[in-house]
Amino acid sequence: MSSFRGKPPIGRDRVRLSSSEKQQAVAAAKDSRPEFDNDKLLNLLRSAKNELQGMRLIHMHLSLLKDKDPSSQMIVRTIIQELGSKASYLQSFNISNGDVIVLYKGLKLTGVTEVCQKVEQIFLSKTTLTGPNPYKEYSLYSIMELALNFVNVIRFVEELQAGEAGTHSTETKPPITLEEMGKLERQMQMFDLSPFLFNQAIANLDPQGDDENEYYELYISIKLLQERLCPEYDLTANKWLFNYFTANLDQSVLRALNHGLSFMRGRRIGININLSTVISTGFVKFDERLPIDFRGNVVLEISKGDLIENLSLFNEVVDFAQDRRYQIAVDGLNPFWVTNFDLEYLNADYAKIFWSSDMLEMDPGLEKYFFDRIAEQDRCKFILARCDTVSSLVYAHKAGIKMVQGRAVDNIMRKGVSVRDAVSAAKGMTD
């Protein structure tokens, strides 16, 4: 979940283009009919296949914007040029589905993220996304290590060229409005969340581990909650209102847990939570009422997006967590973020990587680098989450990831079988 930082959607500060930036973008957009760079990008990628080390990619998913602006691509490229003078290499490409892809080298991740957030705020202050991006995130931008995603990028552009891909996302429901969000917020004050509160085990594959179940993540099914409380609206389409909703949802979850954690007795638990919630009075009350046997046995799961947008607040939360004996998990990582985050410097106790079958196609050299980064972080424990196949569990074993979570794990446990034994047997069959 992301932090709303306590600011209501209406009246919030908007990031705006300067007059000169807007004029440049509009003028350039009118100069000529848009020319797309699909072929140019493909040729560059194919010729540079063996020179990918250090190359990164920004993917701006403009095709997912509900209200399209003909000058969108030029606006993005104008803003991205802020980075040009600092980069050892930077080149932007207009893609035929409306997206912009930028290749670059020699820039700090923090500076790139700030510029991408500026672009996102400009567009999402005026319109909404029609759905998640290809990487299953509700974000207008993605930043990736090109070598880790080379096959996917090539495939994406080739499919566009063949006419097999494009703006297939369609909005089936309108985004929730501010007025409807107010009604939903009032409903949440009195609503019983218990039917929507689930738990899922994180299994420990290490045969030396004391307990096969490391902890149980408690989570609310947003999909089921939406179907019950506002079936005619899409809660996730407006990023700002969704962030506000999750902040309120956190408080409702804490109130529900305050009424009793007896159903989780004897188990360590994890709670998805916003950084802003951890410093709220609602969390202080939760902390005061936490049963003594749960002290030291609660993991606070913080999303990667929340961490990036609120790094100073994250550091405050870490200090508080250490003082009150909570542990921290950084949620929603992929190989790019694992290889670019120093998770031990951040004092994270756990790091959750979302499984994707694309990880099976990683370049061998980059895969080794990814595995080495996992191996060298002694204190931070890695979890491969969203494991829905046996191959994902075998991959975790291969990568040196000791913990797994997902439907495949649930299915094994439901049969009364040890996850450790099942993964060991599956690995034996693939060797």
Side-chain angles (χ1 to χ4, degrees):
M1 298 179 185
S2 299
S3 170
F4 189 74
R5 299 186 292 278
K7 296 181 181 179
I10 286 184
R12 67 175 180 272
D13 292 336
R14 291 185 176 181
V15 177
R16 298 183 183 277
L17 286 175
S18 68
S19 299
S20 60
E21 286 176 322
K22 182 68 176 176
Q23 288 168 2
Q24 286 175 26
V26 173
K30 288 180 179 177
D31 275 346
S32 62
R33 194 176 157 193
E35 292 184 10
F36 299 118
D37 304 317
N38 300 33
D39 288 333
K40 191 173 167 184
L41 176 59
L42 274 176
N43 292 335
L44 179 65
L45 290 174
R46 287 165 179 159
S47 65
K49 185 174 182 181
N50 299 319
E51 302 174 8
L52 300 179
Q53 195 64 38
M55 186 80 78
R56 290 179 180 169
L57 176 146
I58 303 168
H59 190 164
M60 287 289 177
H61 309 285
L62 304 179
S63 58
L64 295 178
L65 292 172
K66 179 184 175 185
D67 299 313
K68 303 293 192 299
D69 182 341
S71 62
S72 292
Q73 288 180 317
M74 192 54 68
I75 289 172
V76 169
R77 292 180 70 161
T78 300
I79 299 172
I80 290 293
Q81 286 308 313
E82 293 178 16
L83 299 168
S85 61
K86 303 173 186 175
S88 58
Y89 170 84
L90 186 144
Q91 191 167 2
S92 302
F93 303 86
N94 285 354
I95 306 303
S96 57
N97 72 336
D99 290 355
V100 172
I101 288 179
V102 182
L103 300 182
Y104 72 91
K105 277 187 178 182
L107 290 171
K108 289 184 178 180
L109 184 59
T110 50
V112 174
T113 303
E114 285 174 6
V115 171
C116 289
Q117 287 174 350
K118 175 181 178 180
V119 173
E120 182 177 63
Q121 288 173 357
I122 286 170
F123 286 103
L124 296 191
S125 66
K126 300 173 184 175
T127 186
T128 59
L129 296 174
T130 58
N133 64 40
Y135 315 104
K136 299 180 181 178
E137 301 172 324
Y138 283 91
S139 175
L140 188 63
Y141 67 90
S142 301
I143 307 171
M144 300 174 281
E145 200 84 49
L146 181 57
L148 295 174
N149 295 274
F150 183 78
V151 173
N152 296 329
V153 176
I154 287 274
R155 185 184 298 153
F156 169 77
V157 183
E158 286 178 339
E159 286 178 348
L160 282 176
Q161 293 293 79
E164 297 173 359
T167 54
H168 291 305
S169 297
T170 55
E171 188 179 13
T172 56
K173 297 177 182 178
I176 193 165
T177 63
L178 184 59
E179 181 183 2
E180 291 299 324
M181 181 59 75
K183 293 178 184 176
L184 180 58
E185 185 179 3
R186 289 190 290 275
Q187 281 182 275
M188 294 290 291
Q189 301 287 336
M190 303 170 286
F191 194 71
D192 178 15
L193 284 174
S194 55
F196 304 92
L197 185 62
F198 298 90
N199 66 82
Q200 189 175 53
I202 286 83
N204 189 340
L205 302 180
D206 187 354
Q208 307 302 318
D210 296 332
D211 191 344
E212 184 165 358
N213 295 330
E214 182 73 8
Y215 69 89
Y216 287 80
E217 177 192 352
L218 299 179
Y219 67 95
I220 294 288
S221 171
I222 299 291
K223 182 180 179 182
L224 292 178
L225 199 59
Q226 176 176 281
E227 290 173 358
R228 172 66 177 82
L229 293 178
C230 55
E232 66 276 24
Y233 293 101
D234 185 351
L235 274 172
T236 60
N238 185 311
K239 178 180 178 179
W240 315 109
L241 288 180
F242 182 64
N243 290 346
Y244 181 65
F245 169 73
T246 58
N248 281 319
L249 184 60
D250 281 355
Q251 298 296 338
S252 297
V253 170
L254 291 177
R255 285 195 296 271
L257 294 179
N258 274 336
H259 291 304
L261 280 163
S262 57
F263 68 103
M264 296 300 290
R265 287 283 179 205
R267 297 174 174 178
R268 300 181 70 239
I269 63 171
I271 305 171
N272 286 288
I273 199 163
N274 289 352
L275 288 169
S276 59
T277 303
V278 182
I279 61 171
S280 69
T281 55
F283 192 85
V284 171
K285 290 179 182 177
F286 168 79
D287 179 68
E288 289 172 348
R289 297 175 184 176
L290 190 68
I292 189 66
D293 52 333
F294 278 98
R295 181 66 61 192
N297 288 316
V298 177
V299 180
L300 305 179
E301 298 201 356
I302 309 296
S303 77
K304 172 257 298 176
D306 199 1
L307 187 159
I308 292 171
E309 292 179 11
N310 303 284
L311 186 56
S312 60
L313 182 55
F314 177 81
N315 292 330
E316 288 181 38
V317 167
V318 167
D319 291 340
F320 170 81
Q322 290 175 341
D323 182 55
R324 301 299 295 166
R325 296 176 57 203
Y326 293 99
Q327 291 184 298
I328 299 287
V330 178
D331 198 5
L333 300 175
N334 59 25
F336 171 80
W337 293 106
V338 170
T339 53
N340 285 281
F341 265 2
D342 187 340
L343 292 154
E344 292 196 338
Y345 175 78
L346 291 171
N347 287 305
D349 301 283
Y350 297 92
K352 270 193 185 182
I353 304 167
F354 286 170
W355 161 254
S356 166
S357 58
D358 297 336
M359 292 162 73
L360 297 171
E361 300 180 21
M362 285 174 63
D363 173 83
L366 266 296
E367 183 179 73
K368 182 180 183 304
Y369 179 51
F370 174 48
F371 291 177
D372 287 347
R373 288 289 288 156
I374 290 171
E376 69 190 27
Q377 305 221 26
D378 296 325
R379 192 175 67 81
C380 183
K381 302 174 184 177
F382 286 87
I383 301 165
L384 190 62
R386 298 186 178 178
C387 292
D388 53 1
T389 61
V390 172
S391 60
S392 61
L393 302 180
V394 172
Y395 185 88
H397 194 284
K398 176 185 174 184
I401 297 173
K402 300 292 198 308
M403 299 176 193
V404 288
Q405 179 188 24
R407 288 198 300 270
V409 176
D410 298 340
N411 293 337
I412 293 169
M413 293 178 67
R414 222 173 272 126
K415 295 173 183 175
V417 178
S418 162
V419 179
R420 291 173 183 170
D421 292 346
V423 173
S424 181
K427 182 179 178 294
M429 292 173 65
T430 59
D431 286 343

